Amino acid sequence: MTAALTRGGREWTPEYLVSINPDLCIGCGRCFKVCGRDVMTLKGLNEDGEIVALDDDEDDEIEKKVMAMHDEAACIGCGACARVCPTNCQTHARA
């Protein structure tokens, strides 16, 4: 991918969110709050290490809440989510 230009004419290469490590994620939601593109969503991690939808009936089976990819194609590569993540659980890559 070729670099884009900022409004000021500087080169900028987007780095897109490609994954979130559920072992490192603490489900704080900071990345979700700064992303206006609905790229991530809050999910549950069950005792088998599987990412599952949050459901009030199944809260007993949830070990912890984590952020997970929701609409990967909506990411514009701005990196805001990486800047606010306290655990560095995200992987970003150029297209």
Side-chain angles (χ1 to χ4, degrees), residues 37-39 71-77:
R37 309 223 15 114
D38 204 24
V39 174
D71 186 1
E72 187 175 325
C75 182
I76 60 171

Side-chain angles (χ1 to χ4, degrees), residues 37-71:
R37 309 223 15 114
D38 204 24
V39 174
M40 300 152 279
T41 190
L42 190 63
K43 295 279 188 171
L45 192 67
N46 68 18
E47 59 188 26
D48 296 327
E50 300 167 327
I51 295 176
V52 296
L54 292 175
D55 185 5
D56 292 336
D57 297 336
E58 298 175 14
D59 278 350
D60 295 339
E61 298 174 16
I62 302 296
E63 295 291 312
K64 70 176 188 172
K65 295 179 181 178
V66 296
M67 295 308 298
M69 300 298 289
H70 175 68
D71 186 1

